[in-house]
Amino acid sequence: PNPLPTLIRKKRDGERLEDAEIRSFVRGVTEGTAQQGQIGAMLMAIRLRGMDAGETLALTRAMAVSGRALAWPPAWHGLVVDKHSTGGVGDKVSLALAPALAACGCKVPMISGRGLGHTGGTLDKLEAIPGFCVSQSPEEMCSILERVGCCIVGQSEELVPADRVLYGLRDVTATVDSVPLITASILSKKATEQLSALVLDVKFGSAALYPTQESARELARSLVEVGTHLGLRTVAVLSRMEQPLGRAVGNAQEVLEALECLHGGGPRDLRQLVTTLG
């Protein structure tokens, strides 16, 4: 593949990147040979020029294999599932949904993220619990799923390391709302999890990344299309985000509200969305 500045120039000028070129870029991100300025420039070029479905799929695959793939016992076949949200103010659904699914017999190995833009991150919320550790090895994840049925962890040097780098840089380079970058970020994590089924909560409205239902639908189509190509049974739900979800906003407060929901209480809109996605 061409040197990284050449690849940046290609995408800047609206040209299509070949699969090998995309793999080369992701390898530079993972191995640390790409400078932060170069990564930021490529992110902005992708944000402004876009990627076609083939490029987005290649980026997702390259990010997914940047770390270890998870493996599960044969007895869990058909039971390993997950959910991901595009994020919104007060969105604490994962905190209630993962244990609810586990109580139904599912295994939920959720690789989640921190806050992006103005939306709170599931990992940040969990760290409001004293002593909670969001960094677990694949072996520890398997042990936790065996005992508890669900876990929520972050990207690491072992799990999707390319996404860990790109995730943070998207937040500081104003490239959060790029459809191919969102698609690759979400689905690279989910491809690593070796899932049987995936549900995506794609939000729209004034408090979401995408203000209109049609722009959110475009993202949902991209996610379902790429997810299906990756061999994941993928569905997307469009949910309204004109106002915060539930009543609580703030990491510790949202953990408490999720616990209320698990006890059968909490705000009606939160219970309804948890049930719909479940």
Side-chain angles (χ1 to χ4, degrees):
N2 291 316
L4 191 46
T6 305
L7 304 187
I8 296 168
R9 190 180 304 118
K10 273 186 77 172
K11 182 45 67 180
R12 179 201 70 187
D13 294 342
E15 295 180 47
R16 189 183 188 282
L17 295 178
E18 301 300 325
D19 289 8
E21 293 174 325
I22 291 170
R23 288 195 298 270
S24 173
F25 166 64
V26 172
R27 192 160 53 246
V29 169
T30 307
E31 295 174 356
T33 55
Q35 298 173 24
Q36 286 216 331
Q38 292 175 315
I39 301 171
M42 180 63 92
L43 291 174
M44 186 58 74
I46 292 170
R47 166 64 182 79
L48 295 176
R49 291 297 194 167
M51 281 182 150
D52 64 25
E55 287 176 295
T56 305
L57 179 60
L59 178 61
T60 306
R61 280 187 169 139
M63 289 168 62
V65 299
S66 65
R68 290 176 61 183
L70 297 169
W72 313 117
W76 295 2
H77 180 72
L79 299 177
V80 184
V81 301
D82 200 4
K83 159 265 176 191
H84 196 89
S85 166
T86 55
V89 178
D91 182 2
K92 70 280 293 178
V93 167
S94 293
L95 303 180
L97 180 60
L101 290 170
C104 294
C106 295
K107 302 292 184 184
V108 189
M110 192 178 290
I111 303 176
S112 193
R114 299 194 178 275
L116 274 184
H118 67 282
T119 65
T122 300
L123 300 180
D124 305 310
K125 294 168 192 181
L126 285 168
E127 286 181 338
I129 302 169
F132 195 100
C133 181
V134 298
S135 180
Q136 303 287 345
S137 71
E139 290 76 19
E140 288 166 331
M141 288 177 69
C142 198
S143 173
I144 292 166
L145 289 183
E146 183 67 58
R147 295 196 321 273
V148 185
C150 67
C151 63
I152 302 179
V153 303
Q155 315 100 314
S156 65
E157 288 183 10
E158 287 187 284
L159 296 172
V160 214
D163 184 57
R164 188 174 66 150
V165 176
L166 296 181
Y167 196 91
L169 284 174
R170 282 167 56 216
D171 201 26
V172 297
T173 56
T175 55
V176 169
D177 61 347
S178 160
V179 168
L181 293 178
I182 293 174
T183 301
S185 176
I186 292 174
L187 292 178
S188 61
K189 293 190 278 280
K190 302 312 171 187
T192 301
E193 294 171 8
Q194 308 292 321
L195 300 174
S196 306
L198 171 66
V199 63
L200 299 159
D201 178 12
V202 181
K203 298 191 175 296
F204 66 94
S206 57
L209 288 175
Y210 287 92
T212 67
Q213 188 170 359
E214 194 43 55
S215 57
R217 196 181 300 277
E218 180 192 349
L219 173 59
R221 284 197 194 102
S222 173
L223 286 163
V224 171
E225 182 180 345
V226 173
T228 302
H229 277 299
L230 292 170
L232 296 172
R233 284 173 55 204
T234 309
V235 295
V237 174
L238 295 177
S239 66
R240 191 176 294 279
M241 201 77 209
E242 297 291 353
Q243 59 194 35
L245 183 65
R247 288 189 298 269
V249 177
N251 294 340
Q253 299 297 332
E254 292 186 46
V255 171
L256 292 173
E257 190 164 84
L259 290 171
E260 282 181 39
C261 180
L262 282 169
H263 282 103
R268 185 170 177 273
D269 61 340
L270 174 61
R271 291 202 314 272
Q272 196 168 21
L273 187 54
V274 169
T275 305
T276 299
L277 295 170

